[in-house]
Amino acid sequence: MSTLSDLVYAQGLSDAADVEWLHRLAGDCQLLADLAFADIVMWVPTADDSFVAVTHTRPGGAATLFYRDIVGERVRPQWRAQVRSAFLGGQIVDSASPDWFEETPTRVRAVPIVREHPRRGQKPAVIGVLTRHTNLGETRTPSRQQITFNDCADDLFGMVAAGDFPDLSAPTGPRRGAPRASDGLIRLDVDGMATFASPNALSAFNRLGFDDELEGQSLVEVVTDILPEKRQFDESLPLVVTGRAPWRADIEANGVTISLRTIPLRGHGTRIGAIVLCRDVSEMRHQEQELITKDATIREIHHRVKNNLQTVASLLRIQARRTHSDEARDALTQAMRRVSAIAVVHDTLAQGLAQNVDFDEVFQAVLKLVAEVAAAPNTHAHTRTVGRFGTLPSEYATPLALALTELVTNAVEHGLAGKEGDVEIITERTDQKLEVRVRDNGVGLPEGQVGRGLGTQIVRTLIQGELSGSIDWHTLEGQGTEVTIEIPLRYIGLDEA
């Protein structure tokens, strides 16, 4: 399904500012649908004088009229005149008589979407239309809550038509945990007095320690009495509880956390009150705190592991310097290099703690280490990388980095021993595989034979065993060696670079 931006831009009649406005409004369409107990559809004009649906939101507390999304569809003939009239006239247009949709009586309201021009004095622009589709087949005597919700919806629709909603100055914040109308709603008048509180809203404040009725109370005074003394609170809280700013804040008392979101209401340019949505997010905040604590613990463990690896590498270096046997010194030096490479990869992975990692960043750190450690007397190696590795799962970073460390080290120490030369690491990535070639212009393989040392065994084990890949050594024409590694991406679990 196409995104809102795709559908809007496809019509060729809107700019980036229009799309941003529509996105912000679409983020609150669920609120409008829940308050109006109706389906909400957003329409934008097309080049052929019609309209196309770019969002469709179903109500949470009422039956939907549309069992299938109509996003991407053209406006239906029975709604076209009404939608067009709202778009051209810039006024809310209600259907004169019930509209029948699939044998269900409905009432349709068309609301122009007006974007306030950023420069004062310039006329606001109508950039689309919202339609509210109310199911009349389930009409029954409305409760006081339903009447209040509908009144709030009407106020918001009026603000949409006046260019006062959405408010671009309001913080977007994460959608996870954001309060909805069904979680709890308080209606404030212009003085911040609660004129209505839904049962869920009252229950939420009861859990905070408030044991009276909210209606008729000043929300500022209620919150002030609830908050514990000498405890810091959210600096934006006064703006929220007075209903003067479109903001979000948390109230915490008695081990309970309530998230509040305020939507100031305006009529004909004058503030007339506010809607305050509230939700008990105690468990969610507790889980978030646990995740923060675990994340800090894991980072500390990674830091200590990295330090331990570096300590082991330092001990191996010291032991190698005190060893008189050339063979033992070489073995200890090789072990020190491998441990150092693992420490570098571990340090890079520990910084993000993500499932996937940018392997190009990891490999550059490893390559710098190899160039420093593997340089032998009278050997001058120039390393160069071509192409990109892309994103790889973190669990594959260590074996691949260690295998490439061995190959580059062999190219420097054996292929270019005692001379100046080049080492190239060439990477090609497709949807199916990752191919890496390590090429040098050194002496080449002895009689075309692959070595049988520990380094070669390590590379085979890492590539074939842990990465389910293949590896091939061969001598280049003229001079030098090229090692080709192929890793099927289907084993890695990524299908894109």
Side-chain angles (χ1 to χ4, degrees), residues 14-32:
S14 304
D15 57 21
D18 292 339
V19 173
E20 181 185 3
W21 190 276
L22 294 172
H23 265 294
R24 292 293 290 267
L25 181 57
D28 278 318
C29 277
Q30 187 63 60
L31 173 63
L32 293 172

Side-chain angles (χ1 to χ4, degrees), residues 321-334:
R321 289 174 180 174
R322 295 186 177 184
T323 300
H324 300 291
S325 168
D326 292 340
E327 183 177 354
R329 184 184 302 108
D330 182 64
L332 289 171
T333 301
Q334 295 288 345

